[in-house]
Amino acid sequence: EVRNFLPAHIPLYLKGVQTAEDGVQAAQMGVRGIIVSNHGGRACGDAWGCLSALEDVAMGLRAAGWLGEGSTPSRTLELYYDSGVRSGRDAIKALCLGAQGIGLGRPYYWAAAYNGEEGIASLLDMLTAELQHAMAQAGANALGMLQPSLLSRAGNRPVPCAEVSPCLGSSGWKQQETEFHSKL
């Protein structure tokens, strides 16, 4: 309904998406981009982590052909992450999981409060150096080389929901779950 109020040339981005199903539905409704965010994470202490949500959304969009190699120019979607990025290490995690960019909120405020424009410039220099260092440790010398396999996991990752969601398709969820757990 929002699209009816805006001229067609103004792109729509949807912030706050946390599930693959919502991501695919947003893509089908014509948004140009999705911003995975939990809006500070303070509304629900039992919600799953935003990085897990990013991974779920990215997997769902890839499975539906909206993101990655299977997408076409008419089905290309931008995916961003905006939740608690405080360092280059945080940024590389989001980029490896499928985000094309990250948002910074509080660090900008803190840097500006500390030293104005110079504080913001120092923050960006620090984040860039940390990201470059984290990429070097992962063996990646370009952003395009970042992928989920470069991350080390402390626990299980989300099981792709493409097999259980009516908007993503349906096939052998139990088989994929069994295969996934047998690899652990």
Side-chain angles (χ1 to χ4, degrees), residues 25-65:
Q25 186 176 12
Q28 291 169 342
M29 294 172 74
V31 300
R32 179 173 298 169
I34 291 173
I35 304 162
V36 176
S37 172
N38 62 6
H39 306 293
R42 298 188 180 153
C44 180
D46 293 332
W48 69 338
C50 211
L51 280 171
S52 295
L54 171 64
E55 186 172 22
D56 186 57
V57 171
M59 286 190 312
L61 291 171
R62 277 190 207 97

PDB file of all heavy atoms in Angstrom, residues 25-65:
ATOM      1  N   GLN A  25       8.525 -12.484   0.907  1.00  0.00           N
ATOM      2  CA  GLN A  25       7.280 -11.746   0.702  1.00  0.00           C
ATOM      3  C   GLN A  25       7.571 -10.280   0.368  1.00  0.00           C
ATOM      4  O   GLN A  25       6.945  -9.708  -0.514  1.00  0.00           O
ATOM      5  CB  GLN A  25       6.385 -11.838   1.936  1.00  0.00           C
ATOM      6  CG  GLN A  25       5.026 -11.207   1.724  1.00  0.00           C
ATOM      7  CD  GLN A  25       4.101 -11.380   2.925  1.00  0.00           C
ATOM      8  OE1 GLN A  25       4.520 -11.784   4.004  1.00  0.00           O
ATOM      9  NE2 GLN A  25       2.838 -11.086   2.715  1.00  0.00           N
ATOM     10  N   ALA A  26       8.528  -9.675   1.044  1.00  0.00           N
ATOM     11  CA  ALA A  26       8.903  -8.294   0.751  1.00  0.00           C
ATOM     12  C   ALA A  26       9.433  -8.168  -0.671  1.00  0.00           C
ATOM     13  O   ALA A  26       9.099  -7.227  -1.395  1.00  0.00           O
ATOM     14  CB  ALA A  26       9.955  -7.814   1.756  1.00  0.00           C
ATOM     15  N   ALA A  27      10.269  -9.133  -1.084  1.00  0.00           N
ATOM     16  CA  ALA A  27      10.806  -9.115  -2.450  1.00  0.00           C
ATOM     17  C   ALA A  27       9.673  -9.215  -3.464  1.00  0.00           C
ATOM     18  O   ALA A  27       9.656  -8.496  -4.469  1.00  0.00           O
ATOM     19  CB  ALA A  27      11.800 -10.256  -2.636  1.00  0.00           C
ATOM     20  N   GLN A  28       8.720 -10.104  -3.200  1.00  0.00           N
ATOM     21  CA  GLN A  28       7.587 -10.273  -4.113  1.00  0.00           C
ATOM     22  C   GLN A  28       6.726  -9.021  -4.191  1.00  0.00           C
ATOM     23  O   GLN A  28       6.076  -8.775  -5.203  1.00  0.00           O
ATOM     24  CB  GLN A  28       6.741 -11.476  -3.678  1.00  0.00           C
ATOM     25  CG  GLN A  28       7.442 -12.795  -3.869  1.00  0.00           C
ATOM     26  CD  GLN A  28       6.728 -13.954  -3.201  1.00  0.00           C
ATOM     27  OE1 GLN A  28       5.879 -13.784  -2.321  1.00  0.00           O
ATOM     28  NE2 GLN A  28       7.080 -15.168  -3.615  1.00  0.00           N
ATOM     29  N   MET A  29       6.739  -8.212  -3.135  1.00  0.00           N
ATOM     30  CA  MET A  29       5.950  -6.976  -3.111  1.00  0.00           C
ATOM     31  C   MET A  29       6.676  -5.824  -3.796  1.00  0.00           C
ATOM     32  O   MET A  29       6.115  -4.751  -3.939  1.00  0.00           O
ATOM     33  CB  MET A  29       5.585  -6.615  -1.680  1.00  0.00           C
ATOM     34  CG  MET A  29       4.651  -7.630  -1.047  1.00  0.00           C
ATOM     35  SD  MET A  29       4.372  -7.351   0.706  1.00  0.00           S
ATOM     36  CE  MET A  29       3.309  -5.927   0.652  1.00  0.00           C
ATOM     37  N   GLY A  30       7.936  -6.042  -4.188  1.00  0.00           N
ATOM     38  CA  GLY A  30       8.630  -5.049  -4.983  1.00  0.00           C
ATOM     39  C   GLY A  30       9.568  -4.113  -4.255  1.00  0.00           C
ATOM     40  O   GLY A  30       9.937  -3.077  -4.810  1.00  0.00           O
ATOM     41  N   VAL A  31      10.004  -4.443  -3.048  1.00  0.00           N
ATOM     42  CA  VAL A  31      10.985  -3.584  -2.399  1.00  0.00           C
ATOM     43  C   VAL A  31      12.320  -3.713  -3.115  1.00  0.00           C
ATOM     44  O   VAL A  31      12.628  -4.754  -3.695  1.00  0.00           O
ATOM     45  CB  VAL A  31      11.152  -3.897  -0.888  1.00  0.00           C
ATOM     46  CG1 VAL A  31       9.850  -3.712  -0.147  1.00  0.00           C
ATOM     47  CG2 VAL A  31      11.734  -5.261  -0.653  1.00  0.00           C
ATOM     48  N   ARG A  32      13.110  -2.674  -3.101  1.00  0.00           N
ATOM     49  CA  ARG A  32      14.433  -2.736  -3.711  1.00  0.00           C
ATOM     50  C   ARG A  32      15.438  -3.392  -2.769  1.00  0.00           C
ATOM     51  O   ARG A  32      16.384  -4.028  -3.210  1.00  0.00           O
ATOM     52  CB  ARG A  32      14.942  -1.356  -4.077  1.00  0.00           C
ATOM     53  CG  ARG A  32      16.345  -1.494  -4.692  1.00  0.00           C
ATOM     54  CD  ARG A  32      16.947  -0.275  -5.265  1.00  0.00           C
ATOM     55  NE  ARG A  32      16.163   0.239  -6.363  1.00  0.00           N
ATOM     56  CZ  ARG A  32      16.381   1.437  -6.907  1.00  0.00           C
ATOM     57  NH1 ARG A  32      17.349   2.189  -6.444  1.00  0.00           N
ATOM     58  NH2 ARG A  32      15.645   1.864  -7.898  1.00  0.00           N
ATOM     59  N   GLY A  33      15.198  -3.211  -1.469  1.00  0.00           N
ATOM     60  CA  GLY A  33      16.144  -3.774  -0.524  1.00  0.00           C
ATOM     61  C   GLY A  33      15.512  -4.108   0.803  1.00  0.00           C
ATOM     62  O   GLY A  33      14.442  -3.619   1.152  1.00  0.00           O
ATOM     63  N   ILE A  34      16.214  -4.964   1.530  1.00  0.00           N
ATOM     64  CA  ILE A  34      15.799  -5.401   2.855  1.00  0.00           C
ATOM     65  C   ILE A  34      16.922  -5.091   3.827  1.00  0.00           C
ATOM     66  O   ILE A  34      18.097  -5.310   3.529  1.00  0.00           O
ATOM     67  CB  ILE A  34      15.502  -6.916   2.857  1.00  0.00           C
ATOM     68  CG1 ILE A  34      14.245  -7.182   2.032  1.00  0.00           C
ATOM     69  CG2 ILE A  34      15.369  -7.450   4.271  1.00  0.00           C
ATOM     70  CD1 ILE A  34      13.960  -8.653   1.840  1.00  0.00           C
ATOM     71  N   ILE A  35      16.545  -4.589   4.984  1.00  0.00           N
ATOM     72  CA  ILE A  35      17.503  -4.321   6.049  1.00  0.00           C
ATOM     73  C   ILE A  35      17.144  -5.228   7.219  1.00  0.00           C
ATOM     74  O   ILE A  35      16.087  -5.067   7.840  1.00  0.00           O
ATOM     75  CB  ILE A  35      17.475  -2.842   6.474  1.00  0.00           C
ATOM     76  CG1 ILE A  35      17.735  -1.952   5.253  1.00  0.00           C
ATOM     77  CG2 ILE A  35      18.493  -2.587   7.583  1.00  0.00           C
ATOM     78  CD1 ILE A  35      17.333  -0.517   5.428  1.00  0.00           C
ATOM     79  N   VAL A  36      17.991  -6.212   7.477  1.00  0.00           N
ATOM     80  CA  VAL A  36      17.768  -7.123   8.591  1.00  0.00           C
ATOM     81  C   VAL A  36      18.181  -6.392   9.858  1.00  0.00           C
ATOM     82  O   VAL A  36      19.315  -5.937   9.987  1.00  0.00           O
ATOM     83  CB  VAL A  36      18.577  -8.431   8.421  1.00  0.00           C
ATOM     84  CG1 VAL A  36      18.412  -9.323   9.634  1.00  0.00           C
ATOM     85  CG2 VAL A  36      18.150  -9.152   7.153  1.00  0.00           C
ATOM     86  N   SER A  37      17.239  -6.256  10.769  1.00  0.00           N
ATOM     87  CA  SER A  37      17.477  -5.500  11.994  1.00  0.00           C
ATOM     88  C   SER A  37      16.493  -5.940  13.063  1.00  0.00           C
ATOM     89  O   SER A  37      15.367  -6.310  12.763  1.00  0.00           O
ATOM     90  CB  SER A  37      17.291  -4.001  11.726  1.00  0.00           C
ATOM     91  OG  SER A  37      17.326  -3.264  12.930  1.00  0.00           O
ATOM     92  N   ASN A  38      16.938  -5.875  14.310  1.00  0.00           N
ATOM     93  CA  ASN A  38      16.012  -6.114  15.413  1.00  0.00           C
ATOM     94  C   ASN A  38      15.784  -4.827  16.199  1.00  0.00           C
ATOM     95  O   ASN A  38      15.355  -4.859  17.333  1.00  0.00           O
ATOM     96  CB  ASN A  38      16.491  -7.261  16.306  1.00  0.00           C
ATOM     97  CG  ASN A  38      17.823  -6.972  16.967  1.00  0.00           C
ATOM     98  OD1 ASN A  38      18.370  -5.879  16.872  1.00  0.00           O
ATOM     99  ND2 ASN A  38      18.359  -7.959  17.652  1.00  0.00           N
ATOM    100  N   HIS A  39      16.094  -3.711  15.590  1.00  0.00           N
ATOM    101  CA  HIS A  39      15.835  -2.386  16.155  1.00  0.00           C
ATOM    102  C   HIS A  39      16.398  -2.243  17.567  1.00  0.00           C
ATOM    103  O   HIS A  39      15.741  -1.743  18.470  1.00  0.00           O
ATOM    104  CB  HIS A  39      14.342  -2.069  16.136  1.00  0.00           C
ATOM    105  CG  HIS A  39      13.729  -2.203  14.790  1.00  0.00           C
ATOM    106  ND1 HIS A  39      14.043  -1.358  13.742  1.00  0.00           N
ATOM    107  CD2 HIS A  39      12.842  -3.098  14.295  1.00  0.00           C
ATOM    108  CE1 HIS A  39      13.360  -1.718  12.669  1.00  0.00           C
ATOM    109  NE2 HIS A  39      12.632  -2.775  12.980  1.00  0.00           N
ATOM    110  N   GLY A  40      17.604  -2.705  17.757  1.00  0.00           N
ATOM    111  CA  GLY A  40      18.251  -2.578  19.051  1.00  0.00           C
ATOM    112  C   GLY A  40      18.132  -3.816  19.916  1.00  0.00           C
ATOM    113  O   GLY A  40      18.810  -3.947  20.915  1.00  0.00           O
ATOM    114  N   GLY A  41      17.263  -4.718  19.572  1.00  0.00           N
ATOM    115  CA  GLY A  41      17.146  -5.993  20.266  1.00  0.00           C
ATOM    116  C   GLY A  41      16.610  -5.924  21.674  1.00  0.00           C
ATOM    117  O   GLY A  41      16.688  -6.896  22.422  1.00  0.00           O
ATOM    118  N   ARG A  42      16.051  -4.822  22.065  1.00  0.00           N
ATOM    119  CA  ARG A  42      15.615  -4.695  23.452  1.00  0.00           C
ATOM    120  C   ARG A  42      14.137  -4.960  23.647  1.00  0.00           C
ATOM    121  O   ARG A  42      13.662  -5.034  24.757  1.00  0.00           O
ATOM    122  CB  ARG A  42      15.954  -3.300  23.954  1.00  0.00           C
ATOM    123  CG  ARG A  42      17.453  -3.103  23.915  1.00  0.00           C
ATOM    124  CD  ARG A  42      17.881  -1.842  24.551  1.00  0.00           C
ATOM    125  NE  ARG A  42      19.335  -1.783  24.443  1.00  0.00           N
ATOM    126  CZ  ARG A  42      20.007  -0.682  24.420  1.00  0.00           C
ATOM    127  NH1 ARG A  42      19.404   0.451  24.497  1.00  0.00           N
ATOM    128  NH2 ARG A  42      21.309  -0.715  24.324  1.00  0.00           N
ATOM    129  N   ALA A  43      13.406  -5.096  22.555  1.00  0.00           N
ATOM    130  CA  ALA A  43      11.963  -5.288  22.670  1.00  0.00           C
ATOM    131  C   ALA A  43      11.615  -6.692  23.142  1.00  0.00           C
ATOM    132  O   ALA A  43      10.628  -6.880  23.837  1.00  0.00           O
ATOM    133  CB  ALA A  43      11.286  -5.005  21.332  1.00  0.00           C
ATOM    134  N   CYS A  44      12.421  -7.667  22.763  1.00  0.00           N
ATOM    135  CA  CYS A  44      12.118  -9.054  23.123  1.00  0.00           C
ATOM    136  C   CYS A  44      13.416  -9.772  23.450  1.00  0.00           C
ATOM    137  O   CYS A  44      14.190 -10.111  22.550  1.00  0.00           O
ATOM    138  CB  CYS A  44      11.392  -9.758  21.973  1.00  0.00           C
ATOM    139  SG  CYS A  44      10.981 -11.464  22.351  1.00  0.00           S
ATOM    140  N   GLY A  45      13.650  -9.991  24.713  1.00  0.00           N
ATOM    141  CA  GLY A  45      14.893 -10.612  25.143  1.00  0.00           C
ATOM    142  C   GLY A  45      15.072 -12.045  24.689  1.00  0.00           C
ATOM    143  O   GLY A  45      16.176 -12.553  24.682  1.00  0.00           O
ATOM    144  N   ASP A  46      13.978 -12.709  24.296  1.00  0.00           N
ATOM    145  CA  ASP A  46      14.075 -14.101  23.880  1.00  0.00           C
ATOM    146  C   ASP A  46      14.141 -14.274  22.370  1.00  0.00           C
ATOM    147  O   ASP A  46      14.133 -15.390  21.875  1.00  0.00           O
ATOM    148  CB  ASP A  46      12.874 -14.893  24.413  1.00  0.00           C
ATOM    149  CG  ASP A  46      12.914 -15.002  25.928  1.00  0.00           C
ATOM    150  OD1 ASP A  46      14.024 -14.973  26.492  1.00  0.00           O
ATOM    151  OD2 ASP A  46      11.849 -15.115  26.545  1.00  0.00           O
ATOM    152  N   ALA A  47      14.188 -13.171  21.621  1.00  0.00           N
ATOM    153  CA  ALA A  47      14.275 -13.268  20.161  1.00  0.00           C
ATOM    154  C   ALA A  47      15.635 -13.840  19.776  1.00  0.00           C
ATOM    155  O   ALA A  47      16.618 -13.689  20.493  1.00  0.00           O
ATOM    156  CB  ALA A  47      14.092 -11.887  19.529  1.00  0.00           C
ATOM    157  N   TRP A  48      15.693 -14.492  18.615  1.00  0.00           N
ATOM    158  CA  TRP A  48      16.972 -15.043  18.188  1.00  0.00           C
ATOM    159  C   TRP A  48      17.883 -13.931  17.731  1.00  0.00           C
ATOM    160  O   TRP A  48      17.448 -12.830  17.406  1.00  0.00           O
ATOM    161  CB  TRP A  48      16.785 -16.138  17.167  1.00  0.00           C
ATOM    162  CG  TRP A  48      16.282 -15.781  15.796  1.00  0.00           C
ATOM    163  CD1 TRP A  48      15.572 -14.664  15.414  1.00  0.00           C
ATOM    164  CD2 TRP A  48      16.446 -16.556  14.617  1.00  0.00           C
ATOM    165  NE1 TRP A  48      15.292 -14.727  14.084  1.00  0.00           N
ATOM    166  CE2 TRP A  48      15.811 -15.867  13.568  1.00  0.00           C
ATOM    167  CE3 TRP A  48      17.053 -17.762  14.341  1.00  0.00           C
ATOM    168  CZ2 TRP A  48      15.783 -16.352  12.261  1.00  0.00           C
ATOM    169  CZ3 TRP A  48      17.018 -18.233  13.047  1.00  0.00           C
ATOM    170  CH2 TRP A  48      16.387 -17.529  12.034  1.00  0.00           C
ATOM    171  N   GLY A  49      19.163 -14.196  17.699  1.00  0.00           N
ATOM    172  CA  GLY A  49      20.149 -13.190  17.344  1.00  0.00           C
ATOM    173  C   GLY A  49      19.975 -12.691  15.921  1.00  0.00           C
ATOM    174  O   GLY A  49      19.546 -13.432  15.028  1.00  0.00           O
ATOM    175  N   CYS A  50      20.322 -11.456  15.718  1.00  0.00           N
ATOM    176  CA  CYS A  50      20.115 -10.845  14.407  1.00  0.00           C
ATOM    177  C   CYS A  50      21.023 -11.444  13.332  1.00  0.00           C
ATOM    178  O   CYS A  50      20.640 -11.495  12.168  1.00  0.00           O
ATOM    179  CB  CYS A  50      20.297  -9.338  14.509  1.00  0.00           C
ATOM    180  SG  CYS A  50      19.277  -8.452  13.332  1.00  0.00           S
ATOM    181  N   LEU A  51      22.204 -11.919  13.696  1.00  0.00           N
ATOM    182  CA  LEU A  51      23.044 -12.591  12.707  1.00  0.00           C
ATOM    183  C   LEU A  51      22.389 -13.883  12.223  1.00  0.00           C
ATOM    184  O   LEU A  51      22.463 -14.223  11.047  1.00  0.00           O
ATOM    185  CB  LEU A  51      24.441 -12.882  13.259  1.00  0.00           C
ATOM    186  CG  LEU A  51      25.413 -11.708  13.260  1.00  0.00           C
ATOM    187  CD1 LEU A  51      26.677 -12.057  14.031  1.00  0.00           C
ATOM    188  CD2 LEU A  51      25.738 -11.245  11.865  1.00  0.00           C
ATOM    189  N   SER A  52      21.722 -14.585  13.123  1.00  0.00           N
ATOM    190  CA  SER A  52      20.983 -15.784  12.718  1.00  0.00           C
ATOM    191  C   SER A  52      19.834 -15.402  11.791  1.00  0.00           C
ATOM    192  O   SER A  52      19.550 -16.097  10.813  1.00  0.00           O
ATOM    193  CB  SER A  52      20.444 -16.529  13.939  1.00  0.00           C
ATOM    194  OG  SER A  52      21.509 -17.017  14.719  1.00  0.00           O
ATOM    195  N   ALA A  53      19.171 -14.302  12.099  1.00  0.00           N
ATOM    196  CA  ALA A  53      18.092 -13.822  11.232  1.00  0.00           C
ATOM    197  C   ALA A  53      18.635 -13.455   9.856  1.00  0.00           C
ATOM    198  O   ALA A  53      18.025 -13.788   8.832  1.00  0.00           O
ATOM    199  CB  ALA A  53      17.385 -12.627  11.868  1.00  0.00           C
ATOM    200  N   LEU A  54      19.792 -12.799   9.812  1.00  0.00           N
ATOM    201  CA  LEU A  54      20.407 -12.437   8.532  1.00  0.00           C
ATOM    202  C   LEU A  54      20.686 -13.690   7.712  1.00  0.00           C
ATOM    203  O   LEU A  54      20.391 -13.746   6.515  1.00  0.00           O
ATOM    204  CB  LEU A  54      21.702 -11.654   8.756  1.00  0.00           C
ATOM    205  CG  LEU A  54      22.557 -11.402   7.509  1.00  0.00           C
ATOM    206  CD1 LEU A  54      21.821 -10.529   6.507  1.00  0.00           C
ATOM    207  CD2 LEU A  54      23.889 -10.782   7.895  1.00  0.00           C
ATOM    208  N   GLU A  55      21.249 -14.700   8.346  1.00  0.00           N
ATOM    209  CA  GLU A  55      21.556 -15.931   7.628  1.00  0.00           C
ATOM    210  C   GLU A  55      20.283 -16.579   7.089  1.00  0.00           C
ATOM    211  O   GLU A  55      20.233 -17.031   5.944  1.00  0.00           O
ATOM    212  CB  GLU A  55      22.307 -16.904   8.539  1.00  0.00           C
ATOM    213  CG  GLU A  55      22.775 -18.137   7.821  1.00  0.00           C
ATOM    214  CD  GLU A  55      23.683 -19.004   8.671  1.00  0.00           C
ATOM    215  OE1 GLU A  55      23.649 -18.901   9.914  1.00  0.00           O
ATOM    216  OE2 GLU A  55      24.427 -19.803   8.078  1.00  0.00           O
ATOM    217  N   ASP A  56      19.231 -16.606   7.894  1.00  0.00           N
ATOM    218  CA  ASP A  56      17.955 -17.194   7.473  1.00  0.00           C
ATOM    219  C   ASP A  56      17.371 -16.417   6.293  1.00  0.00           C
ATOM    220  O   ASP A  56      16.949 -17.013   5.296  1.00  0.00           O
ATOM    221  CB  ASP A  56      16.976 -17.195   8.650  1.00  0.00           C
ATOM    222  CG  ASP A  56      15.686 -17.914   8.338  1.00  0.00           C
ATOM    223  OD1 ASP A  56      15.740 -19.103   7.961  1.00  0.00           O
ATOM    224  OD2 ASP A  56      14.615 -17.299   8.488  1.00  0.00           O
ATOM    225  N   VAL A  57      17.366 -15.098   6.384  1.00  0.00           N
ATOM    226  CA  VAL A  57      16.818 -14.268   5.307  1.00  0.00           C
ATOM    227  C   VAL A  57      17.627 -14.462   4.026  1.00  0.00           C
ATOM    228  O   VAL A  57      17.066 -14.660   2.943  1.00  0.00           O
ATOM    229  CB  VAL A  57      16.784 -12.775   5.724  1.00  0.00           C
ATOM    230  CG1 VAL A  57      16.434 -11.881   4.543  1.00  0.00           C
ATOM    231  CG2 VAL A  57      15.785 -12.560   6.855  1.00  0.00           C
ATOM    232  N   ALA A  58      18.947 -14.435   4.132  1.00  0.00           N
ATOM    233  CA  ALA A  58      19.799 -14.597   2.946  1.00  0.00           C
ATOM    234  C   ALA A  58      19.595 -15.966   2.301  1.00  0.00           C
ATOM    235  O   ALA A  58      19.496 -16.069   1.072  1.00  0.00           O
ATOM    236  CB  ALA A  58      21.273 -14.393   3.316  1.00  0.00           C
ATOM    237  N   MET A  59      19.513 -17.029   3.113  1.00  0.00           N
ATOM    238  CA  MET A  59      19.297 -18.373   2.560  1.00  0.00           C
ATOM    239  C   MET A  59      17.945 -18.451   1.852  1.00  0.00           C
ATOM    240  O   MET A  59      17.830 -19.033   0.776  1.00  0.00           O
ATOM    241  CB  MET A  59      19.376 -19.433   3.664  1.00  0.00           C
ATOM    242  CG  MET A  59      20.784 -19.697   4.143  1.00  0.00           C
ATOM    243  SD  MET A  59      20.988 -21.135   5.255  1.00  0.00           S
ATOM    244  CE  MET A  59      19.699 -20.937   6.449  1.00  0.00           C
ATOM    245  N   GLY A  60      16.925 -17.862   2.448  1.00  0.00           N
ATOM    246  CA  GLY A  60      15.598 -17.874   1.832  1.00  0.00           C
ATOM    247  C   GLY A  60      15.556 -17.108   0.532  1.00  0.00           C
ATOM    248  O   GLY A  60      14.954 -17.560  -0.450  1.00  0.00           O
ATOM    249  N   LEU A  61      16.202 -15.949   0.501  1.00  0.00           N
ATOM    250  CA  LEU A  61      16.222 -15.141  -0.727  1.00  0.00           C
ATOM    251  C   LEU A  61      17.014 -15.839  -1.830  1.00  0.00           C
ATOM    252  O   LEU A  61      16.628 -15.781  -3.002  1.00  0.00           O
ATOM    253  CB  LEU A  61      16.799 -13.752  -0.439  1.00  0.00           C
ATOM    254  CG  LEU A  61      15.926 -12.846   0.428  1.00  0.00           C
ATOM    255  CD1 LEU A  61      16.685 -11.588   0.825  1.00  0.00           C
ATOM    256  CD2 LEU A  61      14.621 -12.502  -0.277  1.00  0.00           C
ATOM    257  N   ARG A  62      18.116 -16.505  -1.464  1.00  0.00           N
ATOM    258  CA  ARG A  62      18.877 -17.261  -2.471  1.00  0.00           C
ATOM    259  C   ARG A  62      18.030 -18.416  -3.022  1.00  0.00           C
ATOM    260  O   ARG A  62      17.986 -18.648  -4.226  1.00  0.00           O
ATOM    261  CB  ARG A  62      20.166 -17.808  -1.862  1.00  0.00           C
ATOM    262  CG  ARG A  62      21.292 -16.823  -1.843  1.00  0.00           C
ATOM    263  CD  ARG A  62      22.616 -17.485  -1.448  1.00  0.00           C
ATOM    264  NE  ARG A  62      23.460 -16.493  -0.833  1.00  0.00           N
ATOM    265  CZ  ARG A  62      23.598 -16.309   0.474  1.00  0.00           C
ATOM    266  NH1 ARG A  62      22.985 -17.092   1.327  1.00  0.00           N
ATOM    267  NH2 ARG A  62      24.367 -15.366   0.950  1.00  0.00           N
ATOM    268  N   ALA A  63      17.372 -19.145  -2.123  1.00  0.00           N
ATOM    269  CA  ALA A  63      16.552 -20.291  -2.536  1.00  0.00           C
ATOM    270  C   ALA A  63      15.419 -19.861  -3.461  1.00  0.00           C
ATOM    271  O   ALA A  63      15.039 -20.597  -4.368  1.00  0.00           O
ATOM    272  CB  ALA A  63      15.990 -21.000  -1.307  1.00  0.00           C
ATOM    273  N   ALA A  64      14.891 -18.662  -3.255  1.00  0.00           N
ATOM    274  CA  ALA A  64      13.787 -18.157  -4.067  1.00  0.00           C
ATOM    275  C   ALA A  64      14.277 -17.418  -5.319  1.00  0.00           C
ATOM    276  O   ALA A  64      13.469 -16.946  -6.116  1.00  0.00           O
ATOM    277  CB  ALA A  64      12.900 -17.244  -3.231  1.00  0.00           C
ATOM    278  N   GLY A  65      15.604 -17.313  -5.491  1.00  0.00           N
ATOM    279  CA  GLY A  65      16.158 -16.677  -6.683  1.00  0.00           C
ATOM    280  C   GLY A  65      16.227 -15.162  -6.654  1.00  0.00           C
ATOM    281  O   GLY A  65      16.411 -14.524  -7.688  1.00  0.00           O
TER     282      GLY A  65
END
